[in-house]
């Protein structure tokens, strides 16, 4: 049997970008679907589950994952066939991208960011390695690699001192205890005209049996979070320990919730700061928006809530069997062990 296909471990920037595309949608349906595939794979979903999630062929999902592991986020953009032969080699293109992602001041230029005209001129006049490329061709290359000079890009580097430890705990819960692992998060606000106010969808996801449920509430807070955690606890009424993955919203960190979780054998696995993409539920919020909220015209929140619940019922009725999901997780773990890899494609720590 061929080894399972999974994305490598996402960087913070890649996780944030994929989460943004899936949550907010994209002008390109191709980018949206591919981002959903990658985010679901990073959350531990197998290829068959992802194929059903995006209604695509399994081979298509594997191709996207392989392409991402090779070239990163550039795989989100479709590459159409045809056109004139290429004038630049792959090495030339890599050099152009390397230059474009280097601050001009580092290269001795008196400006803080590039423009297409400035970059093309610099490449043409570069003594060490001149590259002749027109502005339009350069603009297309940058767009294909996801680089823009409209403003100086800044990224939020995680200041979390327990960044790796938190990811390790999430990895353990998702891969070693999937039948007792759940994910929780909110998305919104969901508006209905100006006179109807807003609501937030509070969602819960069971990793082991691929079930998603939730409810709309008027606001985020301690009480809605507590109610969601109690519903998760009720999903495993045997009283055994469970794991809940959630982000660092202040309501999630409340001392009352922490005390309740400790008393009820609920381990709260918080995602690292600025890394909410590590929450497995993120990949499943995209279809929920796409198929119930996008292009919709609900007259009020009651109708909107009914539409969300109708979709959730349909989704859960068509979920894959838990035994199949468990067998796929075991096989992925075996292959990673043979290759000396951890979750996300990271190498195992060297033996002391």
């Amino acid at each position: 049997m061929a080894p399972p296909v999974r994305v490598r471990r996402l960087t913070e920037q890649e996780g944030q970008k994929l989460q943004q595309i899936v949550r907010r949608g994209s002008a390109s349906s191709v980018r949206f679907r591919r981002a959903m595939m990658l985010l679901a794979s990073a959350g531990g979903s197998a290829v068959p589950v992802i194929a059903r999630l995006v209604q695509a062929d399994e081979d298509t999902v594997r191709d996207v994952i392989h392409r991402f592991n090779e070239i990163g986020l550039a795989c989100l953009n479709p590459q159409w066939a045809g056109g004139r032969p290429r004038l630049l080699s792959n090495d030339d293109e890599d050099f152009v991208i390397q230059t474009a992602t280097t601050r001009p001041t580092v290269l001795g230029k008196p400006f803080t960011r590039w423009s297409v005209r400035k970059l093309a001129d610099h490449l043409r006049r570069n003594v060490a390695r001149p590259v002749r490329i027109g502005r339009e061709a350069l603009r297309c290359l940058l767009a294909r690699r996801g680089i823009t000079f409209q403003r100086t890009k800044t990224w939020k580097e995680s200041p979390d001192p327990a960044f790796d430890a938190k990811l390790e705990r999430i990895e353990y819960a998702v891969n070693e205890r999937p039948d007792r692992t759940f994910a929780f998060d909110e998305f919104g606000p969901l508006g209905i005209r100006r006179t109807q106010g807003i609501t937030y969808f509070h969602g819960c996801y069971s990793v082991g049996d691929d079930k998603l449920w939730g409810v709309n509430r008027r606001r985020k807070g301690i009480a809605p979070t507590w109610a969601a955690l109690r519903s998760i606890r009720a999903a495993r009424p045997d009283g055994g320990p469970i794991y809940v993955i959630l982000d660092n919203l202040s309501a999630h960190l409340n001392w009352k919730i922490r005390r309740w979780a400790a008393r009820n054998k609920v381990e709260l696995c918080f995602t690292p700061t600025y890394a909410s993409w590590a929450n497995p539920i993120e990949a499943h919020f995209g279809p929920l928006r796409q198929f119930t909220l996008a292009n919709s015209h609900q007259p009020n929140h009651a109708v909107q809530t009914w539409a969300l619940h109708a979709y959730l019922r349909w989704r859960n009725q068509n979920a894959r069997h838990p035994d199949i999901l468990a067998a796929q997780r075991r096989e992925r773990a075996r292959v990673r062990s043979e290759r000396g890899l951890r979750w996300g494609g990271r190498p195992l720590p060297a033996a002391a």
Side-chain angles (χ1 to χ4, degrees), residues 233-250:
R233 175 70 273 184
R236 289 293 182 271
D238 57 2
I242 63 174
Y243 305 83
V244 179
I245 303 170
L246 66 171
D247 61 25
N248 294 277
L249 185 70
S250 60

Side-chain angles (χ1 to χ4, degrees), residues 247-317:
D247 61 25
N248 294 277
L249 185 70
S250 60
H252 303 167
L253 301 170
N254 180 265
W255 66 272
K256 293 182 179 179
I257 290 180
R258 287 173 177 265
R259 186 176 64 180
W260 173 87
R263 290 177 175 176
N264 290 273
K265 298 182 180 180
V266 178
E267 180 176 337
L268 303 178
C269 302
F270 294 102
T271 59
T273 306
Y274 304 146
S276 59
W277 49 265
N279 193 331
I281 201 174
E282 290 290 345
H284 301 273
F285 277 166
L288 192 62
R289 278 184 185 271
Q290 186 73 8
F291 296 112
T292 60
L293 303 179
N295 303 319
S296 63
H297 186 65
Q298 288 102 356
N300 52 58
H301 285 296
V303 175
Q304 184 183 74
T305 301
W306 181 90
L308 286 169
H309 287 175
Y311 173 80
L312 292 175
R313 286 192 297 271
W314 175 88
R315 181 203 177 282
N316 292 335
Q317 288 171 359

Side-chain angles (χ1 to χ4, degrees), residues 3 5 21 27 40 105-106 118 189-190 195 202 261 266 283 311:
V5 177
I21 293 174
T105 53
V106 176
K118 288 181 172 63
L190 310 178
T195 60
H202 293 62
V266 178
Y311 173 80

Side-chain angles (χ1 to χ4, degrees), residues 5 11 17 72 79 114 120 133 145 149 158 183 191 257 316 339:
V5 177
T11 64
K17 183 63 176 179
Q79 296 182 349
W114 295 109
I133 181 172
R145 296 294 187 93
F149 301 135
S158 177
I257 290 180
N316 292 335
R339 295 183 176 181

Side-chain angles (χ1 to χ4, degrees), residues 9-297:
R9 179 172 178 175
L10 301 180
T11 64
E12 295 179 56
Q13 294 86 354
E14 290 170 344
Q16 292 167 0
K17 183 63 176 179
L18 293 174
Q19 181 184 18
Q20 180 185 34
I21 293 174
V22 171
R23 279 204 167 191
R24 300 181 181 177
S26 172
S28 169
S29 60
V30 176
R31 285 174 57 84
F32 176 81
R33 284 161 57 86
R34 291 181 179 181
M36 197 187 308
M37 295 176 193
L38 299 175
L39 201 59
S41 181
S45 297
V47 168
V49 176
I50 301 172
R52 184 180 60 81
L53 177 69
V54 300
Q55 295 297 298
D57 186 73
E58 293 185 12
D59 290 337
T60 300
V61 177
R62 293 188 181 94
D63 290 342
V64 172
I65 294 175
H66 283 309
R67 192 65 174 161
F68 172 81
N69 291 338
E70 294 174 359
I71 65 174
L73 292 178
C75 75
L76 297 178
N77 301 316
Q79 296 182 349
W80 312 117
R84 63 180 292 181
R86 296 177 57 192
L87 301 180
L88 296 180
S89 65
N90 289 333
D91 291 340
D92 290 335
E93 288 190 357
D94 292 339
F95 176 74
V96 171
I97 297 303
Q98 180 183 356
T99 305
T101 53
T102 302
R103 290 183 67 87
T105 53
V106 176
L107 301 176
K109 298 298 179 181
F111 34 85
T112 59
R113 65 183 180 91
W114 295 109
S115 68
V116 174
R117 183 186 298 273
K118 288 181 172 63
L119 180 58
D121 183 70
H122 171 76
L123 292 169
R124 184 174 62 255
R125 297 172 183 271
N126 186 13
V127 177
R129 183 175 181 176
V131 177
R132 299 186 62 86
I133 181 172
R135 292 200 300 271
E136 186 59 31
L138 178 58
R139 185 179 293 109
C140 292
L141 172 59
L142 296 175
R144 192 165 64 249
R145 296 294 187 93
I147 299 175
T148 175
F149 301 135
Q150 295 178 359
R151 61 183 176 87
T152 302
K153 289 288 186 181
T154 57
W155 298 102
K156 290 183 177 179
E157 299 291 342
S158 177
D160 198 330
F163 183 87
D164 288 327
K166 289 181 178 180
L167 283 186
E168 294 288 346
R169 197 57 183 167
I170 293 174
E171 172 189 352
Y172 171 81
V174 170
N175 292 290
E176 302 297 331
R177 295 290 185 269
D179 58 324
R180 293 193 171 275
T181 298
F182 301 82
F184 168 72
D185 200 4
E186 308 94 342
F187 78 75
L190 310 178
I192 300 289
R193 303 173 182 171
R194 291 187 177 182
T195 60
Q196 297 289 329
I198 61 174
T199 61
Y200 294 88
F201 179 77
H202 293 62
C204 306
Y205 175 63
S206 174
V207 175
D209 52 12
D210 191 30
K211 295 294 180 65
L212 180 67
W213 71 94
V215 64
N216 276 5
R217 297 189 182 276
R218 286 291 180 179
R219 59 183 61 85
K220 299 180 183 180
I222 298 173
T225 299
W226 207 341
L229 292 177
R230 287 198 299 268
S231 74
I232 291 176
R233 175 70 273 184
R236 289 293 182 271
D238 57 2
I242 63 174
Y243 305 83
V244 179
I245 303 170
L246 66 171
D247 61 25
N248 294 277
L249 185 70
S250 60
H252 303 167
L253 301 170
N254 180 265
W255 66 272
K256 293 182 179 179
I257 290 180
R258 287 173 177 265
R259 186 176 64 180
W260 173 87
R263 290 177 175 176
N264 290 273
K265 298 182 180 180
V266 178
E267 180 176 337
L268 303 178
C269 302
F270 294 102
T271 59
T273 306
Y274 304 146
S276 59
W277 49 265
N279 193 331
I281 201 174
E282 290 290 345
H284 301 273
F285 277 166
L288 192 62
R289 278 184 185 271
Q290 186 73 8
F291 296 112
T292 60
L293 303 179
N295 303 319
S296 63
H297 186 65

